[in-house]
Amino acid sequence: MSTRIVVVGGGTAGVRLAQRLPVTLLGEEPHAPYNRVLLADVLAGRYAPEVIALPAPQEPVRRGVRAVRIDRAARTVECEDGTTVGYDRLVLATGSNPVLPPLRGLRGSRLPSGVHPFRTLDDCLELRELVRPGVRAVVIGGGLLGVSAARALAALGAEVVLTQQGERLMERQLDAQASELLREHVESLGVEVHTECRVSGLRQEDGAVTAVELADGFVLDAQVVVLACGVRPRVGLARDAGLDVRRGIVVDDELRTSDPFIHAIGDCAEHGGRVYGLAGPALEQADALADLLLSETPAFQAAATPPQTTVPEATPRPAYTGTRALTRLTLGGPEALDLAAFGEATPLPGDDVVQLTDATRRAYRKVVVRGDRLVGGVLLGDLAAVGALARAWEGDEALPPAPLLHLLTHDGGS
């Protein structure tokens, strides 16, 4: 009898696993699975929603099905529509939820009219209905998501204000100089940027947002507010089932939870004390789990799609040891700006740093080397060297004894 694998979550991680193996995939959203990374391009009108659909899995996705309870003793998943799905192995790929900031005017999960997170295709489509040229829009949060949302709204002709509580935009990925170049580019798109700016509340009239209040007393008029304050792993289903949950659902090198029959991958999983929240690690975790399940379930091997995996009996079991994630972003506008960041962009005492700046081309490259290892870097405007840099960083191998400048001038392909 074949092993029944049930996957909860129709995002990047869950769908990747379902492309590799025949599984029952429960997707909460009514849409076909899509690439969340491209939502800003849908909002900006660059892509139609159907263009960002992910390749279809082996078995049809059960759309619009929300899992509400796991019965670990019976090995079943109960769904909101009253159905029950039995499993031999359960994979939680529940993703993450947008963080709703503690603001006056926000009560629970019910948002005033005009206020939207930016996490799902429905969020995106609802914003497109609201935004037209001249609409006043405030984006709360200056990280990767907030910057992407701001440039998309600007492309629709909105009057956009981007607020960031921290000192600079994308402060988790960029150093001060790169962030300043990014800010200049965002402002060139017509976006008004405020950093070190704490939002304290929302003003409403008849249930619709009218303004954003700042902690210093300043008020920003707003017809649309986008909440881009980060995401939080979605762990409620796992916690209610009694699984080990810290920031995310805790998994080992076999992506197994504290229940040996349940795995977790993607944004909801915490491996080695780290929650990644990025597409690259989600794909790697899904592939690692597919290899593991194939190695212990020979019946799946005939049904596996490329890359096919046949594991000899003497071969060690596949394992996931972590991901070195590189962030890439393309900002549109009259002059598009490409950005890539990885590892530690801020050096420690004793680190070697090489950076090249071309102000006329708005190009900036920087790498940080610790001993004989590349530990981080930032590139804006010119990504010719990103391929070679990413390989050197991801491989974590000793650098050749050559001048460090070659790291930034070698065109390794992007």
Side-chain angles (χ1 to χ4, degrees):
M1 187 173 68
S2 61
T3 300
R4 300 170 302 168
I5 298 181
V6 175
V7 180
V8 179
T12 300
V15 171
R16 178 62 160 243
L17 186 67
Q19 290 165 356
R20 295 282 307 277
L21 300 173
V23 306
T24 298
L25 193 152
L26 308 178
E28 186 171 329
E29 294 187 52
H31 310 284
Y34 55 88
N35 186 345
R36 206 177 301 275
V37 173
L38 298 176
L39 282 178
D41 293 297
V42 174
L43 177 57
R46 183 179 177 189
Y47 297 140
E50 57 270 19
V51 173
I52 68 170
L54 293 169
Q58 290 193 28
E59 302 292 334
V61 179
R62 289 186 56 183
R63 300 189 205 172
V65 177
R66 180 171 179 260
V68 295
R69 181 175 178 270
I70 300 169
D71 186 331
R72 291 167 54 190
R75 292 189 201 166
T76 59
V77 177
E78 298 174 13
C79 302
E80 195 172 46
D81 61 6
T83 59
T84 299
V85 183
Y87 67 85
D88 297 308
R89 290 293 184 89
L90 177 63
V91 181
L92 300 178
T94 49
S96 52
N97 286 326
V99 172
L100 300 183
L103 305 178
R104 290 193 303 275
L106 284 185
R107 294 183 179 87
S109 59
R110 187 166 185 177
L111 301 177
S113 177
V115 179
H116 291 270
F118 188 48
R119 183 63 182 164
T120 69
L121 184 55
D122 282 339
D123 294 333
C124 187
L125 297 177
E126 289 170 8
L127 281 168
R128 276 195 63 85
E129 287 294 316
L130 290 173
V131 177
R132 66 191 74 86
V135 163
R136 297 184 303 277
V138 176
V139 178
I140 302 175
L144 177 62
L145 189 64
V147 170
S148 298
R151 67 97 172 175
L153 294 169
L156 293 174
E159 298 175 5
V160 185
V161 178
L162 175 59
T163 66
Q164 163 70 331
Q165 185 168 325
E167 294 182 359
R168 59 180 189 266
L169 299 181
M170 289 184 64
E171 57 188 356
R172 290 181 58 188
Q173 293 91 5
L174 305 182
D175 65 1
Q177 190 166 350
S179 183
E180 182 58 32
L181 288 171
L182 174 62
R183 177 172 183 157
E184 291 175 5
H185 176 80
V186 171
E187 289 177 336
S188 76
L189 304 178
V191 176
E192 183 180 327
V193 179
H194 295 270
T195 53
E196 298 183 271
C197 166
R198 188 170 69 84
V199 174
S200 59
L202 303 176
R203 291 186 180 178
Q204 304 174 47
E205 187 174 310
D206 298 326
V209 68
T210 59
V212 172
E213 298 176 349
L214 305 183
D216 62 5
F218 197 73
V219 176
L220 301 170
D221 290 339
Q223 295 162 285
V224 173
V225 174
V226 177
L227 304 176
C229 306
V231 295
R232 183 177 292 118
R234 192 174 183 182
V235 298
L237 193 63
R239 182 179 285 118
D240 291 345
L243 301 179
D244 185 9
V245 172
R246 295 172 196 166
R247 184 170 170 230
I249 306 169
V250 178
V251 296
D252 60 16
D253 287 355
E254 293 187 347
L255 297 161
R256 199 184 307 266
T257 69
S258 52
D259 183 319
F261 300 100
I262 302 179
H263 300 265
I265 56 176
D267 289 7
C268 67
E270 178 178 329
H271 175 267
R274 183 172 183 184
V275 175
Y276 289 95
L278 295 169
L283 293 172
E284 287 194 19
Q285 290 174 5
D287 283 339
L289 182 55
D291 291 340
L292 176 74
L293 295 174
L294 282 167
S295 72
E296 60 186 32
T297 314
F300 280 150
Q301 294 182 12
T305 56
Q308 292 192 8
T309 305
T310 301
V311 182
E313 195 170 321
T315 301
R317 287 168 64 82
Y320 175 75
T321 57
T323 299
R324 293 188 153 223
L326 181 143
T327 299
R328 292 192 64 165
L329 177 66
T330 296
L331 293 172
E335 297 181 11
L337 179 70
D338 291 317
L339 176 155
F342 58 94
E344 302 175 42
T346 302
L348 298 176
D351 289 347
D352 291 311
V353 178
V354 183
Q355 62 185 59
L356 299 175
T357 304
D358 185 340
T360 60
R361 298 171 58 195
R362 285 189 178 176
Y364 175 74
R365 300 181 180 185
K366 170 185 174 180
V367 292
V368 179
V369 176
R370 187 168 300 151
D372 60 359
R373 295 293 196 276
L374 180 64
V375 297
V378 177
L379 297 92
L380 272 82
D382 184 353
L383 303 191
V386 71
L389 290 172
R391 285 190 293 273
W393 179 63
E394 290 168 357
D396 194 27
E397 298 175 353
L399 298 172
L404 292 179
L405 190 61
H406 86 284
L407 292 172
L408 295 181
T409 56
H410 173 64
D411 183 354
S414 60

